[in-house]
Amino acid sequence: RRQRQMCIRDREVIYMNTLIVRNRNDLKEAVEKGYDEIILEGKLAEKFEKAEKIQKLSQPKLASLIAFASGAGATIIASLVTSAESSGISLAFSATTVTVFAAAEGINIAVVAEYLMLCALVGTKIVKNLIEKYDIELKNKDGQDIPIVELKKI
């Protein structure tokens, strides 16, 4: 059932339980409130372009990646959020840690790096919820070369 379109701050509700978001705070709020469909636009959509590959990992590999991001990868995520120098971790250590983990688990290193970058952008818990609870689909906005990401609850 369609509802009247209404704008709220930097986001707009277009249908009941569907929310268009353009920034990470609104994304966090949408996931926490459990919207059935979340549409990412703008720079936020560009950051999630590779998330489809993460979601296609087997359950054991995905569980391993989530555990890595919560454990050893948490230090790397912190260094991405602040900077390598201020967190006391070297970029060489980060690269080595990611490479060793990816090789040991049989996961493409780019997928591991992308997951850690998403965690740094919106938080490990939010990314975990998105990967586990939403189907991620990449599209172009109205036939243009502008990416949008549709997240639909599984």
Side-chain angles (χ1 to χ4, degrees), residues 44-135:
L44 190 60
E46 291 172 15
K47 301 284 185 192
F48 274 81
E49 280 188 283
K50 296 177 185 164
E52 241 180 358
K53 290 179 183 175
I54 297 166
Q55 196 171 45
K56 291 179 182 175
L57 291 173
S58 67
Q59 284 300 328
K61 287 183 180 183
L62 183 58
S64 180
L65 181 58
I66 290 168
F68 175 73
S70 300
T75 307
I76 298 168
I77 293 167
S79 73
L80 293 170
V81 172
T82 57
S83 76
E85 293 74 26
S86 66
S87 67
I89 183 171
S90 74
L91 293 176
F93 172 78
S94 298
T96 302
T97 304
V98 169
T99 302
V100 168
F101 169 77
E105 295 297 324
I107 302 172
N108 183 307
I109 191 168
V111 173
V112 175
E114 187 63 31
Y115 187 83
L116 295 177
M117 292 296 283
L118 288 175
C119 289
L121 176 69
V122 295
T124 304
K125 182 180 175 184
I126 298 296
V127 174
K128 179 181 181 283
N129 283 336
L130 288 175
I131 299 295
E132 292 178 342
K133 297 178 182 177
Y134 287 86
D135 183 39

